[in-house]
Amino acid sequence: IVPTCGITLLLYRWSINMRMMFIYKDCTIEYASHFLVCGWDRSFKIVRQLKVPKGTISFKYRHVRYEYDKAVNAFKISEAQAPSTRADVLDAPFLTTAEAKERQLKYGRNEVRIPFPKFFPHLFSELTHPFLFFQYFTSALWLMEGFQNFVIAMLGATIFLIIISYCILRQSAGRLEKMAGEQAPVDIFRNGGWITVSSAEIVPGDRIRIGPNSRIPCDGVLVSGQALLNEALLTGEAIPQVKSALSRDDHPFRPDAERNHLVFEGTFVIEGDVETTALVLQTGWLTKKGQIIRGMLYPTPIKIDFFRQAMFFCGILLLACLLSYVPLCLKMVEIGFSDRLIILRFFDVIAWVISPTIGIFLKLSNLLAVCRLRRRGVVCLDEDRIMVGCDVQTICFDKTGTLTGNTFILNRIMIHSDGSFSEFNIDSLEADNESQELMRSAAGLCHSLRMRGNQLVGDPIEEAMFQRSKAQWYNSSRVIIAQKIYSVLHSYEFTPESRCMSVLVRNSTNDSYSVLTKGAPEKIKEISDETLLPKDYDSQLQQFTSQGFRVLGVATRSWDGGPNSKPSREAVESGLVFIGFLVFENPLKKGTKEVISNLIEAGYNIKIISGDHPLSSVHTATELGLIDPSNTAISLSDTVVTGDEFHEETIVDTHKTLIFARMKPEQKANVIKLLQRRGYKSMMVGDGANDCRAIREAAIGLGFSDSDAAYSAPFITTSSIRSVVDILRECRCAILISTEVYRYILELSMVKFSSVSILVWSGSNYTDEQYIWNNFLAVSYTHLRAHETGRNLVCRLLLEKKKKK
């Protein structure tokens, strides 16, 4: 190290292969002190083995601990295993202080500490970047030639830009630290009684108490009581969620399928009581919130074609200049230049062609684009994505909440009675038949709404239903409808798997019991008695969905089990009698049609990825101009793909498929992966947590939310959909300006090379001040002017059609 003046240390820092070759040697796992880890993004890192009890081999990578499993000969995440059955969850033993300490040693403290960057380590890291050493080489070269002022100006500009990027990094880290939250006191059950400790002391297996007006400190499952939670900060969904205790049975406990019983770190408790308790499942970085933050700290790496092409061109240009240096070298020998000066002029050729100021001005282009986006209400969390935006060919939109608003209007109610459909005026006080009375009851009872103060909170669809039913809120389990008191005995909440919701209710007037179910029409048809379904069920459904309406099916059945029975969901949701459709209108957001029209004119391929009914999505696409309603030759089988049909081999023409309907969150992400594998760089625009995975997979992602989940997107905004156009304009502007500045600097370098060659031919050279003007002032002025003119040019270019190949 000493003989090389520290260069060896820098090589070790830059190259993991150098470290593997000279510092470490291969050995078996039992004797290893370090491990070479390959991340999911194909990046490599050497990590140290943790000091743990003898017989355990583990390491920590990206804040998560991994432990060696001899049975499978592989490392696995060291996480607590959930109980196998629901009964095991409810009967989980309470922990003692000694057991809690053992688990804390194994799983870590319940905290998410953001690695906050310090200025001088960050400055050292940036200044030792391999690219900057070319600047140091040219600086040393020009210092030997007496150009001190130019060297000071160049290094000063580099440090200035590092300081600006550090300030942006500090802001992002501060935002993450705020998102991670602070420690708070929490009640836990240990050693046979309730005690209050810091939330950092919680371990998997603890039993915690959940009270109102507090935040959940970990991921867990409710084992007693119920709570109304606001998960908006975590998922982006503004609808409060009702969580109930897990029921006791011998069914397998699968956390992914127990959405209505799980609570997540960071969610706010609107309602809860002293009887509401939860079993802790995960803590720290392994919670859902911790995984979101990890995704932000270690985003998907991207390849920027511009830099690779730019360096290739520089190599060709350098070769040409070196060849032209030969006659210049002969002339310097003839004039009588010293050997030292001839060697310096040789290295000057390299500095003239590959200007060390290129990186400064390219970084400045990105920073200016980020600042302009922030003025328009768009926060950029990954400035490297700016350079990718110009390559985007396909833009995918979520439908509800992104293209359309979150406002729903109950347009009409269709009742099925005596083998035919008829429209029911729910505003009338009296029901003409039993089906109408049951429909009114379903609208007022089959929901997850809660009353907070004097205001209903919950799903906008359910709120529209309840208000039109003329129901009067008595409490969370009792409602008055048409002067009849109904009690909700059991509620079976909606889940993506069930695709419906059911309630078991008691009519206090005649002491009768019934089941009311609402959900996706396809699901209602599946669980209803086939012999009682109308023949025109599908045609009626198609009539409304083809007009863009959102339709819910409603079914019912009588129940003879009595008030104390606790039937399973499967028993309740079988043999139902279909009674009608609830038809909702979900209008487009203001300005959506204009933005989509601009994007289509600019040549972008627009797609809709939604969880809604296929025909509703088709109507939205038609309304936006993606589908020509007069073109009868269009085949929906080619244009629309549903989640049940989605397989890579079934989609022959990715360009022709415009709509992906009834898609689950993981299927949305798979659509983006498929598009990009087939060569279409994609942008994903969505709101809520169900779009986060797709947003992370896209080349550019935009989240319309201020939730924690939205921060996994490179761009976030709470303004209008117009932000999509703003982002694409700035991306095009940045790459256009970078290209022009790069070309200008190369042209200037060639002029300098030619002019210096002429000057050297006569035995002279530029002065220090002339070098400063040529390399900084002229380029800076051109750069700033280009950003103003380039931005206006891009605004016009975005509205021009691309030539399609």
Side-chain angles (χ1 to χ4, degrees), residues 315-360:
I316 296 175
L317 201 59
L318 178 61
L319 180 60
C321 289
L322 289 176
L323 291 175
S324 63
Y325 175 76
V326 175
L328 184 63
C329 178
L330 296 176
K331 182 64 177 178
M332 286 190 291
V333 172
E334 180 184 336
I335 294 175
F337 278 45
S338 64
D339 294 341
R340 175 179 176 275
L341 194 55
I342 292 175
I343 294 173
L344 289 177
R345 287 290 178 267
F346 171 78
F347 289 114
D348 271 344
V349 172
I350 301 175
W352 291 329
V353 176
I354 307 177
S355 175
T357 60
I358 287 180
I360 296 174

Side-chain angles (χ1 to χ4, degrees), residues 449-467:
L449 298 173
R450 289 294 183 271
M451 185 70 73
R452 192 178 187 188
N454 295 322
Q455 185 176 3
L456 282 173
V457 291
D459 191 320
I461 288 182
E462 295 181 339
E463 190 174 343
M465 273 173 26
F466 183 84
Q467 291 174 347

Side-chain angles (χ1 to χ4, degrees), residues 473-703:
W473 187 274
Y474 188 79
N475 58 34
S476 60
S477 61
R478 303 183 73 184
V479 176
I480 301 173
I481 303 175
Q483 300 181 347
K484 297 177 182 178
I485 300 176
Y486 293 87
S487 301
V488 178
L489 304 180
H490 298 290
S491 179
Y492 305 85
E493 300 294 335
F494 173 88
T495 65
E497 292 75 24
S498 66
R499 297 167 62 193
C500 64
M501 175 187 178
S502 299
V503 289
L504 178 59
V505 300
R506 174 179 179 266
N507 186 339
S508 302
T509 305
N510 54 19
D511 197 29
S512 62
Y513 300 88
S514 60
V515 173
L516 299 170
T517 302
K518 69 170 173 58
E522 300 88 345
K523 181 65 176 180
I524 296 298
K525 182 179 180 180
E526 177 186 324
I527 60 179
S528 296
D529 188 341
E530 292 183 4
T531 61
L532 300 177
L533 284 173
K535 294 180 180 179
D536 57 346
Y537 186 97
D538 293 331
S539 61
Q540 282 286 332
L541 175 62
Q542 183 175 351
Q543 177 184 343
F544 295 118
T545 54
S546 62
Q547 298 176 47
F549 293 114
R550 186 162 183 175
V551 182
L552 294 179
V554 181
T556 186
R557 62 170 293 185
S558 59
W559 185 258
D560 301 325
N564 297 322
S565 63
K566 294 183 178 180
S568 66
R569 182 162 201 155
E570 292 77 12
V572 168
E573 295 174 352
S574 62
L576 298 173
V577 178
F578 172 72
I579 58 175
F581 290 130
L582 296 170
V583 184
F584 296 90
E585 184 180 353
N586 183 209
L588 292 173
K589 281 184 177 180
K590 184 180 179 181
T592 298
K593 194 170 183 179
E594 178 188 356
V595 169
I596 298 298
S597 176
N598 287 348
L599 294 174
I600 294 173
E601 290 177 4
Y604 289 103
N605 183 20
I606 309 298
K607 299 184 184 301
I608 295 176
I609 307 179
S610 172
D612 290 350
H613 191 279
L615 292 179
S616 297
S617 300
V618 168
H619 181 273
T620 301
T622 305
E623 197 173 355
L624 293 172
L626 300 179
I627 297 176
D628 186 359
S630 62
N631 188 355
T632 57
I634 292 178
S635 172
L636 288 185
S637 60
D638 295 333
T639 306
V640 183
V641 172
T642 63
D644 295 336
E645 304 167 347
F646 177 71
H647 299 287
E648 184 170 347
E649 57 273 10
T650 62
I651 303 177
V652 179
D653 191 342
T654 315
H655 186 81
K656 189 181 292 184
T657 304
L658 300 179
I659 298 167
F660 297 86
R662 293 295 192 208
M663 304 296 286
K664 297 177 181 178
E666 61 272 14
Q667 290 177 318
K668 291 185 176 183
N670 290 335
V671 171
I672 299 297
K673 289 180 181 178
L674 174 61
L675 290 171
Q676 302 207 128
R677 275 200 302 269
R678 295 191 177 180
Y680 298 97
K681 281 202 174 179
S682 304
M683 177 180 187
M684 178 67 194
V685 184
D687 72 315
N690 58 347
D691 302 313
C692 285
R693 291 181 62 180
I695 287 174
R696 285 198 296 268
E697 292 294 338
I700 288 187
L702 173 62

Side-chain angles (χ1 to χ4, degrees), residues 41-55:
D41 55 357
R42 307 301 298 172
S43 63
F44 291 88
K45 185 178 181 180
I46 296 175
V47 296
R48 185 188 299 271
Q49 183 179 170
L50 297 177
K51 294 181 179 179
V52 292
K54 191 175 181 180

Side-chain angles (χ1 to χ4, degrees), residues 164-165 167-169 171-172 175 362-387 714-716 726-727 729-735 787 791:
I164 292 177
S165 64
C167 293
I168 296 175
L169 184 64
Q171 287 182 351
S172 299
R175 192 181 294 113
L362 294 185
K363 190 173 185 65
L364 186 58
S365 295
N366 282 2
L367 291 176
L368 289 173
V370 169
C371 293
R372 284 199 300 269
L373 283 173
R374 183 163 293 189
R375 289 203 301 266
R376 292 181 177 84
V378 180
V379 178
C380 176
L381 301 178
D382 186 358
E383 66 178 61
D384 288 339
R385 302 281 174 164
I386 295 284
M387 303 298 287
F715 299 91
I716 56 174
D726 292 335
I727 291 171
R729 280 178 173 171
E730 291 300 340
C731 290
R732 284 195 182 187
C733 179
I735 195 68
H787 262 279
R791 177 174 168 271

